[in-house]
Amino acid sequence: MKRLLVCGVLALLGVSFAAHSADEVKLNRKQREEAAEANTQLALAYMREGDLATARAKLERALGQYPDTATTQMAAGFLYDRLGENDKANDHFERALKLSKDDPNVMNNYAAFLCRKGDKKQGEAYFLEAAKNPLYRTPEVAFANAGRCARADGRSKEAEQYFRQALAIKAEQVDALFEMASLYQELGNNLQARAFLERYMAVAPTSAASLWLGYRIERGLGDYDQAKRSADRLKRDFATSPEVTLLLEAERASQ
């Protein structure tokens, strides 16, 4: 499968490049850029397959051939993020952002990294900048991401504002609906939480997370029959999920 995937990438790009770095010196700029793009796409393919060692080798080759493209720098950011080398990942994401001239897609990817591993407020700011860019096709996703970033930083009011902005653009934005349900449940407003969870369940597949949230909401509202139905389905359909462990702990605590 990996061989087919790799061959497919090369065929799609229609690019040939020298096998030895000494030969690459003879390539002109356009050829080096094409070779770097080919190696970058190979690296991304290997990352999807979970072969991070080969992906790293391909990306290092690409960076040696032509480092001045946002695609290659962003791919390096993804790779080093997965390898747990946060400083390297951050450097490559920053370089990608500079090379892309504030491309909202690059900005969104860097923001996601910052919210998980770095400066949440800076990540939030990048999400908002991406959302307001007229070239960005899914601003509701960026607003939802900004909300999660603010919520992870302990700022519930700002988070709610961003989720509402996402829903104002797209009423069925699933991340914002789920986050609003979760946020209201956390704040003790279970009626509002139930309303948002019902909207979420109407447009998204049932998951362990949604059943676990529904269980807690119904318990908070005193509807123990509905809570039990959610619990039973969670145990039946998602028996190995972390949410089942949380559920069993909650049930023991309530006995």
Side-chain angles (χ1 to χ4, degrees):
M1 285 293 292
K2 287 183 181 179
R3 287 181 180 176
L4 288 172
L5 182 62
V6 169
C7 290
V9 171
L10 288 174
L12 178 63
L13 291 171
V15 174
S16 63
F17 47 90
H20 302 288
S21 58
D23 295 330
E24 289 170 356
V25 176
K26 302 175 185 177
L27 301 178
N28 61 36
R29 173 174 169 169
K30 184 175 186 298
Q31 290 170 325
R32 285 187 289 109
E33 189 172 353
E34 289 174 343
E37 173 65 14
N39 274 313
T40 298
Q41 294 303 320
L42 285 169
L44 290 169
Y46 279 116
M47 273 190 269
R48 286 191 289 271
E49 292 292 311
D51 186 350
L52 300 186
T54 305
R56 184 172 190 162
K58 294 297 180 185
L59 264 177
E60 287 176 352
R61 183 87 176 272
L63 290 166
Q65 289 164 327
Y66 194 84
D68 295 331
T69 66
T71 301
T72 298
Q73 291 293 337
M74 190 164 62
F78 290 144
L79 175 66
Y80 287 113
D81 180 14
R82 288 184 64 178
L83 290 171
E85 298 184 39
N86 294 340
D87 289 342
K88 276 190 174 183
N90 187 75
D91 290 345
H92 285 292
F93 278 124
E94 280 190 342
R95 183 84 182 274
L97 193 58
K98 289 177 183 177
L99 289 168
S100 70
K101 298 180 180 178
D102 298 328
D103 182 307
N105 293 296
V106 176
M107 199 175 295
N108 192 71
N109 288 322
Y110 185 29
F113 169 79
L114 287 173
C115 283
R116 286 185 292 104
K117 303 285 182 70
D119 185 339
K120 289 181 171 56
K121 287 188 177 179
Q122 184 62 59
E124 177 187 328
Y126 279 137
F127 276 133
L128 295 177
E129 195 171 341
K132 294 171 185 175
N133 189 313
L135 299 177
Y136 194 51
R137 294 183 178 181
T138 55
E140 69 277 5
V141 174
F143 277 123
N145 286 338
R148 285 192 290 203
C149 207
R151 190 179 176 195
D153 203 35
R155 290 177 286 114
S156 298
K157 288 185 178 180
E158 288 93 332
E160 180 180 354
Q161 175 188 343
Y162 300 143
F163 295 142
R164 289 192 179 279
Q165 285 178 281
L167 294 170
I169 297 168
K170 185 177 180 180
E172 297 179 350
Q173 211 291 321
V174 292
D175 293 329
L177 288 172
F178 186 87
E179 289 290 339
M180 285 291 280
S182 177
L183 178 61
Y184 276 126
Q185 189 276 328
E186 187 178 272
L187 296 173
N189 189 340
N190 286 298
L191 275 175
Q192 283 277 64
R194 176 195 271 170
F196 277 105
L197 186 61
E198 286 175 349
R199 287 173 59 185
Y200 170 83
M201 296 290 282
V203 295
T206 301
S207 65
S210 62
L211 289 170
W212 169 233
L213 178 57
Y215 169 83
R216 288 176 287 153
I217 290 170
E218 298 307 329
R219 291 277 301 183
L221 290 170
D223 190 339
Y224 298 108
D225 289 339
Q226 182 58 43
K228 185 177 184 304
R229 283 191 285 273
S230 295
D232 289 344
R233 186 172 179 188
L234 178 55
K235 292 174 187 176
R236 184 186 70 241
D237 295 347
F238 303 95
T240 61
S241 67
E243 286 81 2
V244 168
T245 301
L246 295 172
L247 172 64
L248 294 175
E249 291 173 354
E251 289 180 332
R252 284 194 294 268
S254 65
Q255 290 175 354

